[in-house]
């Protein structure tokens, strides 16, 4: 009897309670209306994002870039990065993705809309998300709302996101905190370990 090849079982969702860092729209040419107001705040946010990315890399935890296609429907990762670098802006230079980072291209505000992010995260065993990038009152807010509806625990560090207007930045952070249960403390004031400990404590049977 001829030997047959074993049936290939597709890779299923990983078990666990993993955490991923999402870097949203920081691969950017800053050539849109309002960019002059946003870019300085984005550069300041890049400081915190760099620190968080280094910590995730040291732990071997996933870093996921979620980036707009800026209307370039034929674009893919390398073309988006190359085009942003041509504009010689320090944000993309500092935060250009590593070879092992994941890269999701989105066509609209939310990182979950018409992308494979909702498939990728369960495959990685992720249930907790740290959202960083721009703009707090648009793409961060919409992504957080979709993540909240999917029961992800959220941390949106106030020093790792930026918007064109400081008041709208504060407004969006309040919405995410009050309506989505997101932690919004700055990464300079709350460590990754402390946030995870707060989540574990909140899920303890003694707090139910």
């Amino acid at each position: 009897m001829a030997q047959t090849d074993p049936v290939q079982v597709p890779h299923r969702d990983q078990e666990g309670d993993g955490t991923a860092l999402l870097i949203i729209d920081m691969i950017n040419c800053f050539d849109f209306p309002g960019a002059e107001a946003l870019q300085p705040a984005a550069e300041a946010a890049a400081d915190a994002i760099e620190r968080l990315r280094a910590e995730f890399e040291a732990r071997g935890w996933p870093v996921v870039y979620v980036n707009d296609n800026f209307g370039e429907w034929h674009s893919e990762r390398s073309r988006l990065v190359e085009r942003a670098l041509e504009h010689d802006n320090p944000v993309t230079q500092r935060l250009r993705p590593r070879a092992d980072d994941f890269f999701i291209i989105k066509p609209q505000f939310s990182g979950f809309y018409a992308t494979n992010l909702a498939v990728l995260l369960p495959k990685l065993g992720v249930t907790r998300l740290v959202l960083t990038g721009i703009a707090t009152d648009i793409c961060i807010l919409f992504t957080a709302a979709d993540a909240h509806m999917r029961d992800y625990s959220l941390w949106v560090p106030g020093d790792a996101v930026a918007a064109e207007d400081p008041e709208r930045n504060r407004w969006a952070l309040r919405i995410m905190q009050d309506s989505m249960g997101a932690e919004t403390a700055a990464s300079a004031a709350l460590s990754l370990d402390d946030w995870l400990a707060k989540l574990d404590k909140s899920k303890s049977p003694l707090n139910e």
Side-chain angles (χ1 to χ4, degrees):
M1 181 176 179
Q3 185 176 2
T4 59
D5 293 333
V7 176
Q8 297 297 314
V9 178
H11 180 65
R12 301 300 181 186
D13 297 351
Q14 294 186 25
E15 296 182 359
D17 204 15
T19 307
L21 173 66
L22 269 56
I23 301 176
I24 299 174
D25 286 344
M26 294 296 269
I27 306 304
N28 204 306
C29 297
F30 292 97
D31 57 356
F32 51 87
E36 290 185 2
L38 178 57
Q39 186 166 352
E43 290 179 18
D47 293 336
I49 297 172
E50 277 191 307
R51 293 193 299 269
L52 287 165
R53 182 173 70 173
E55 188 166 1
F56 271 76
E57 289 176 344
R59 295 172 185 235
W61 291 358
V63 174
V64 183
Y65 283 76
V66 181
N67 221 86
D68 200 278
N69 68 1
F70 300 109
E72 297 183 10
W73 294 98
H74 289 95
S75 278
E76 41 79 33
R77 169 179 173 155
S78 62
R79 290 176 64 178
L80 286 173
V81 173
E82 181 181 353
R83 182 173 179 271
L85 288 173
E86 288 175 354
H87 284 69
D88 196 31
N89 72 78
V91 173
T92 300
Q93 291 172 352
R94 292 169 60 186
L95 295 177
R96 61 191 304 173
R98 311 281 201 263
D100 292 337
D101 293 336
F102 298 93
F103 200 98
I104 302 290
I105 297 178
K106 63 183 177 69
Q108 275 292 346
F109 304 131
S110 172
F112 288 90
Y113 179 77
T115 76
N116 63 4
L117 185 63
V119 178
L120 172 66
L121 295 176
K123 297 298 181 187
L124 300 175
V126 167
T127 61
R128 302 171 298 206
L129 296 174
V130 181
L131 304 187
T132 67
I134 57 176
T136 317
D137 56 332
I138 306 175
C139 296
I140 302 294
L141 181 62
F142 278 71
T143 301
D146 278 351
H148 175 64
M149 288 190 293
R150 291 167 172 80
D151 292 326
Y152 287 97
S153 299
L154 297 173
W155 180 20
V156 187
D159 57 351
V161 293
E164 292 179 29
D165 178 76
E167 180 52 40
R168 288 189 63 82
N169 188 71
R170 289 188 290 269
W171 167 82
L173 287 170
R174 286 196 301 270
I175 291 291
M176 289 182 276
Q177 181 179 32
D178 296 342
S179 300
M180 305 171 200
E183 175 62 66
T184 60
S187 64
L190 180 70
S191 71
L192 183 56
D193 284 332
D194 286 343
W195 175 58
L196 297 177
K198 286 178 67 174
L199 287 180
D200 291 340
K201 184 177 180 181
S202 68
K203 295 176 182 178
S204 169
L206 296 177
N207 292 298
E208 294 180 352

